[in-house]
Amino acid sequence: MLVQKYKDMLGNKSVIRTLSEFAAARGKEIGYENVFDYSLGNPSVPVPGEFTEAMIRLLQEKDSAELHGYSPSLGIYSVREKIAESLKSRFGLPYKAEHIFPTSGAAGAIAHAVRCVSEPGDEILTFAPYFPEYGPYVNLTGAELKVVPADREKFQINFEVFCQMISEKTAAVLINTPNNPSGAVYSEETLKKLAEVLWEKSKEYGQKIYLISDEPYREIIFGGIKAPYVAKYYADTLTCYSFSKSLSLPGERIGYVAVNPACGEAETIVQMCAQISRGIGHNCPSSIIQLAVAETIELTSDLSVYETNMNILHRELTDLGFVCTRPGGTFYIFPKALEEDAVAFCNKALQYDLVLVPGDGFGCPGFFRMAYCIDTEKVERSLPALRKFVESEYR
Amino acid sequence: MLVQKYKDMLGNKSVIRTLSEFAAARGKEIGYENVFDYSLGNPSVPVPGEFTEAMIRLLQEKDSAELHGYSPSLGIYSVREKIAESLKSRFGLPYKAEHIFPTSGAAGAIAHAVRCVSEPGDEILTFAPYFPEYGPYVNLTGAELKVVPADREKFQINFEVFCQMISEKTAAVLINTPNNPSGAVYSEETLKKLAEVLWEKSKEYGQKIYLISDEPYREIIFGGIKAPYVAKYYADTLTCYSFSKSLSLPGERIGYVAVNPACGEAETIVQMCAQISRGIGHNCPSSIIQLAVAETIELTSDLSVYETNMNILHRELTDLGFVCTRPGGTFYIFPKALEEDAVAFCNKALQYDLVLVPGDGFGCPGFFRMAYCIDTEKVERSLPALRKFVESEYR
């Protein structure tokens, strides 16, 4: 018999996906360049030329059986070494290859991390607003995702409610900074306080509570500031990374789990990931992609366009009277809608060819997300539409 | 807390992997060219030049944001179309793109297929000798892999025991033809009889028993014969394929699930696969690899070396008095060991720098596997060692 729980999921179509499909369909009518599509978080800037060159060089120069052969079940060692060295030099933690497990993006990394530390019946806590895919990532393991309501002012952590919700059932806490959808970067203060709570509660319950840190936007930080590196503040941290955004490679499915060297049994956790992989049929990212990413590990795409777009949008939104926390990173902004029902608000916006995503799916009703990973020229062209929308509907 | 079931797996090191590591270490002592390493099923022939050319062309000509962008959660539609067309033209079943779900190799395909049709507590039956990774593929879903003992004569199906083992708990039957490790190809007679049993039992139990057909060796067939296409014989077949062997791409993790168009709810099953993917963090194979494979879908590497090697080894083994079913395909041969304990037999062989894998891990003690995906020249050089081993130890 076909398994009902997966069949049941078929009805629940992703809101983001539906809006993106609307944008594509509307684009066929009026030209996609005239649809102000802020729905999807697909990087808009090209990969660094060095990545393409590395790929071509590998294809031309390396023995094909070796290049395309099985990678070891823990990933290609030299790749793991380069990732570890890069993390060590950038963030000062003594990572070694043995702490790194390459995965198919951050999705794969989270899937492995959750399976390492939780059993069916356990709870994983996350903080709104949160990436909606955390639902299936966690719930399909048999553990349960519990969402701590948002700090609706600054999108840091609502510690009061968090401390009420954490319990002996909490296997791990899953955070995302810089945050999709709010663009907020957790401050050092937030991370220190979070670590304190986790230490205290781990001690109280006599069992470790792990921190799973989802960091695909780590390299997209605005204002020249340095975002605090999460694992520095809490030993039992499993960092989940993706090169999707930093190198504009979302389709190539490449990322990793990095287990903090200070975490108990850190190397064992990495080896457990390889066992988990056997069960989920993952078996390493593509070998050529692993090798090419290792060669360009210190590079990023030209990410400056995202900051340019953010500045334009933040200024305009504020001008128009939106309550809008200034993003510290990512390519998202998360203003408060101009009416309580953000779904109604976003539906009205569609009439102005503005494709905005209501915050409801991110666990934060009343807000909406704009993904500004689009050309600056289009952001600028969208401003009159945004103004017209606000003035016609809300003045 | 770290999850015990994965920690427990760390002790159980793969025998094949251990032997392969022995071969590598011994190679450092005497030169790897002098180690007759028949342990690993890693293709030895290069990828077709057209594949490399397609990759380079994509990298040079396609817009990078499009090339490396997210593929849809069901895989790239044009790729699914090409796979469907190829299957349709080769095997005559009316596949459409909607029946195809691209995966990370056959491992990923099986991981999805098993999750589509079985729940924890269900049983999946397979036939010895079988690929040992079926254990984790199935058991880590919560279902249980049950192994029907081998037909030790021809490595077809032991129907007598199979009919005793099939029950209302059987969610699916998992087969592998051409077979790793025996090299046997299931005959039309075997497949017809299997289909009959499955029909009958599905009817008797009032629930479908699915057939999961693992076919990574489909293109490696000897003697110019055509292997029967499994899905033709049973409507409710989920075909799991990998391009690892046909295009020598095991490290690139590319394959698919093809659901027989005649299977009930075929398109729903493919959509369920996309939901399963969300939970296991798979999210499609690498996009450039999907596109390059689609461009070379009708090609294979030069697979003839495997038949050449098989002929040499089969002749020599038979000459030396081994009982040895002639493989119909794959790059494996599975002779009976010259003593009851195949582990002891393979350990003795190591003294002659012959790396053979005992059949115990394949659910078929008393036999051993040789993976002859190595250069023909090396196969020939291994014959004196084989002869010396047999004559010194067993004459």
Side-chain angles (χ1 to χ4, degrees):
Chain A
M1 307 285 285
L2 298 183
V3 173
Q4 198 58 39
K5 72 175 170 188
Y6 298 119
K7 281 180 94 168
D8 288 346
M9 289 170 75
L10 296 179
N12 307 327
K13 241 187 140 180
S14 148
V15 176
I16 299 175
R17 204 56 83 139
T18 308
L19 283 163
S20 159
E21 282 164 11
F22 168 89
R26 179 72 176 140
K28 283 191 184 149
E29 291 170 25
I30 62 167
Y32 185 70
E33 70 281 7
N34 297 313
V35 183
F36 306 115
D37 182 5
Y38 287 107
S39 65
L40 263 194
N42 214 355
S44 56
V45 293
V47 298
E50 291 88 340
F51 177 84
T52 304
E53 286 156 22
M55 288 283 287
I56 293 175
R57 199 167 50 243
L58 287 164
L59 287 160
Q60 285 173 339
E61 293 175 10
K62 213 174 161 81
D63 170 71
S64 88
E66 198 190 330
L67 175 60
H68 302 299
Y70 280 116
S71 59
S73 49
L74 289 163
I76 298 174
Y77 193 80
S78 63
V79 175
R80 298 166 67 207
E81 268 181 331
K82 284 198 180 158
I83 294 170
E85 279 161 23
S86 169
L87 287 174
K88 186 177 165 184
S89 76
R90 293 180 60 202
F91 305 115
L93 300 190
Y95 286 104
K96 289 186 299 183
E98 285 70 16
H99 303 117
I100 308 297
F101 183 77
T103 60
S104 355
I110 297 171
H112 283 82
V114 169
R115 282 166 177 77
C116 278
V117 303
S118 71
E119 309 245 22
D122 286 347
E123 291 179 359
I124 310 273
L125 294 190
T126 197
F127 303 96
Y130 71 102
F131 180 46
E133 288 299 296
Y134 289 173
Y137 292 168
V138 172
N139 296 332
L140 289 178
T141 68
E144 194 184 349
L145 185 74
K146 292 269 184 184
V147 180
V148 180
D151 156 18
R152 292 162 64 100
E153 299 302 316
K154 298 197 164 171
F155 300 116
Q156 297 288 314
I157 288 178
N158 185 335
F159 278 101
E160 201 183 314
V161 191
F162 172 47
C163 289
Q164 287 160 12
M165 287 179 71
I166 199 167
S167 78
E168 293 193 350
K169 291 172 84 176
T170 309
V173 170
L174 170 55
I175 64 173
N176 173 219
T177 171
N179 181 265
N180 172 11
S182 72
V185 177
Y186 282 179
S187 66
E188 189 161 42
E189 190 194 339
T190 296
L191 291 173
K192 279 186 176 164
K193 204 164 162 190
L194 174 62
E196 260 169 49
V197 175
L198 294 180
W199 274 319
E200 219 169 79
K201 293 293 180 180
S202 294
K203 213 172 138 190
E204 181 184 333
Y205 304 143
Q207 68 193 22
K208 267 185 198 177
I209 300 172
Y210 287 88
L211 182 58
I212 301 175
S213 179
D214 177 28
E215 308 185 2
Y217 301 98
R218 191 170 63 207
E219 270 57 69
I220 313 179
I221 293 290
F222 304 146
I225 61 156
K226 247 191 153 173
Y229 183 67
V230 173
K232 269 192 164 170
Y233 299 86
Y234 190 66
D236 295 313
T237 299
L238 280 63
T239 302
C240 297
Y241 187 73
S242 168
F243 294 96
S244 294
K245 320 294 174 179
S246 63
L247 290 172
S248 300
L249 289 174
E252 304 306 350
R253 316 306 308 134
I254 177 85
Y256 57 80
V257 177
V259 184
N260 190 341
C263 175
E265 303 185 86
E267 295 184 23
T268 301
I269 293 174
V270 169
Q271 286 164 31
M272 287 170 68
C273 283
Q275 300 302 325
I276 291 165
S277 269
R278 294 169 77 187
I280 65 180
H282 158 69
N283 291 101
C284 300
S286 149
S287 48
I288 187 172
I289 301 289
Q290 284 189 63
L291 293 168
V293 158
E295 289 196 21
T296 51
I297 191 111
E298 298 300 340
L299 302 176
T300 66
S301 299
D302 177 6
L303 306 170
S304 64
V305 61
Y306 302 135
E307 183 158 10
T308 305
N309 292 353
M310 184 279 288
N311 280 322
I312 296 170
L313 281 173
H314 184 259
R315 190 183 322 118
E316 184 74 7
L317 287 161
T318 310
D319 264 13
L320 286 171
F322 283 92
V323 174
C324 179
T325 303
R326 186 185 180 84
T330 76
F331 39 57
Y332 305 109
I333 193 164
F334 200 60
K336 203 158 181 293
L338 295 179
E339 59 182 296
E340 211 172 310
D341 181 350
V343 177
F345 174 84
C346 294
N347 277 337
K348 285 178 195 158
L350 289 178
Q351 296 164 35
Y352 301 82
D353 294 315
L354 285 161
V355 188
L356 317 173
V357 181
D360 304 60
F362 302 99
C364 201
F367 289 77
F368 66 98
R369 185 186 84 169
M370 298 175 81
Y372 45 84
C373 39
I374 63 176
D375 289 348
T376 302
E377 174 271 332
K378 197 170 187 177
V379 172
E380 277 164 348
R381 277 197 295 115
S382 77
L383 302 183
L386 195 59
R387 188 165 288 272
K388 194 174 162 200
F389 162 48
V390 171
E391 287 175 352
S392 310
E393 304 287 337
Y394 299 98
R395 293 279 151 86
Chain B
M1 308 283 286
L2 297 183
V3 173
Q4 198 58 38
K5 72 175 170 187
Y6 297 120
K7 280 181 97 168
D8 288 345
M9 289 171 74
L10 296 179
N12 307 327
K13 237 187 144 181
S14 149
V15 175
I16 299 175
R17 204 55 83 138
T18 308
L19 283 163
S20 159
E21 282 164 11
F22 168 90
R26 180 72 177 141
K28 282 190 184 151
E29 290 170 25
I30 62 167
Y32 184 69
E33 69 280 7
N34 297 313
V35 183
F36 306 116
D37 182 5
Y38 286 107
S39 64
L40 264 194
N42 214 354
S44 57
V45 293
V47 299
E50 291 88 342
F51 176 83
T52 305
E53 286 155 22
M55 289 283 287
I56 293 175
R57 199 168 48 242
L58 287 164
L59 287 161
Q60 286 173 337
E61 294 177 7
K62 213 173 159 83
D63 171 71
S64 88
E66 198 190 330
L67 175 61
H68 302 299
Y70 281 115
S71 60
S73 50
L74 288 163
I76 298 174
Y77 193 79
S78 64
V79 174
R80 299 165 66 208
E81 268 181 330
K82 283 199 182 154
I83 293 170
E85 279 161 23
S86 170
L87 286 174
K88 186 177 164 186
S89 75
R90 292 180 60 202
F91 304 116
L93 301 190
Y95 288 105
K96 289 185 299 183
E98 285 70 17
H99 304 117
I100 308 297
F101 182 75
T103 60
S104 355
I110 297 170
H112 284 80
V114 169
R115 281 166 177 78
C116 277
V117 302
S118 71
E119 309 245 22
D122 286 347
E123 291 179 358
I124 309 273
L125 294 189
T126 197
F127 302 96
Y130 71 102
F131 180 47
E133 288 298 296
Y134 288 172
Y137 292 167
V138 173
N139 296 332
L140 289 178
T141 66
E144 193 184 349
L145 185 73
K146 292 272 184 181
V147 180
V148 180
D151 155 18
R152 292 163 63 100
E153 298 303 315
K154 299 198 164 169
F155 300 117
Q156 297 288 314
I157 288 179
N158 184 336
F159 278 102
E160 202 183 316
V161 191
F162 172 48
C163 289
Q164 287 160 11
M165 288 179 70
I166 199 167
S167 78
E168 293 192 350
K169 290 170 85 177
T170 309
V173 170
L174 169 55
I175 64 172
N176 173 219
T177 171
N179 181 267
N180 171 11
S182 71
V185 177
Y186 282 179
S187 66
E188 188 160 43
E189 190 195 339
T190 296
L191 292 172
K192 280 186 174 164
K193 205 164 160 189
L194 174 61
E196 259 168 49
V197 175
L198 294 179
W199 274 320
E200 218 169 78
K201 294 292 180 180
S202 295
K203 212 173 137 189
E204 183 184 332
Y205 304 143
Q207 68 193 21
K208 266 185 199 179
I209 300 172
Y210 288 89
L211 183 57
I212 302 175
S213 179
D214 176 28
E215 307 185 3
Y217 302 98
R218 190 170 64 207
E219 270 58 69
I220 313 180
I221 293 289
F222 304 146
I225 62 157
K226 249 194 152 172
Y229 183 67
V230 173
K232 268 193 166 171
Y233 299 87
Y234 190 66
D236 295 313
T237 299
L238 280 62
T239 301
C240 297
Y241 187 74
S242 168
F243 293 96
S244 294
K245 322 293 173 176
S246 63
L247 290 172
S248 300
L249 290 174
E252 304 305 350
R253 315 307 308 135
I254 178 84
Y256 56 80
V257 177
V259 183
N260 190 340
C263 176
E265 303 184 86
E267 296 183 24
T268 301
I269 293 175
V270 170
Q271 286 165 31
M272 287 170 68
C273 283
Q275 300 302 326
I276 292 165
S277 269
R278 294 169 77 187
I280 65 182
H282 158 68
N283 290 101
C284 300
S286 148
S287 49
I288 188 173
I289 301 289
Q290 285 189 62
L291 293 168
V293 158
E295 288 196 21
T296 51
I297 190 110
E298 298 301 339
L299 301 177
T300 66
S301 299
D302 176 5
L303 306 170
S304 64
V305 60
Y306 302 134
E307 183 158 9
T308 306
N309 292 354
M310 183 279 288
N311 281 322
I312 295 170
L313 281 173
H314 184 260
R315 191 183 321 116
E316 184 74 7
L317 287 161
T318 310
D319 264 13
L320 285 171
F322 283 92
V323 174
C324 179
T325 303
R326 186 185 181 83
T330 75
F331 39 58
Y332 305 110
I333 192 164
F334 200 59
K336 204 159 183 292
L338 295 179
E339 60 182 295
E340 212 171 311
D341 182 350
V343 177
F345 174 84
C346 293
N347 277 337
K348 285 178 195 159
L350 290 178
Q351 297 163 34
Y352 301 82
D353 294 315
L354 285 161
V355 188
L356 317 173
V357 181
D360 303 60
F362 302 99
C364 199
F367 290 77
F368 65 98
R369 187 187 82 168
M370 299 175 80
Y372 46 84
C373 39
I374 63 176
D375 289 346
T376 301
E377 175 270 332
K378 197 169 186 178
V379 171
E380 276 164 350
R381 277 195 296 112
S382 77
L383 301 184
L386 195 60
R387 188 165 288 271
K388 194 174 162 200
F389 162 47
V390 171
E391 285 175 355
S392 311
E393 303 287 337
Y394 298 98
R395 290 282 149 86

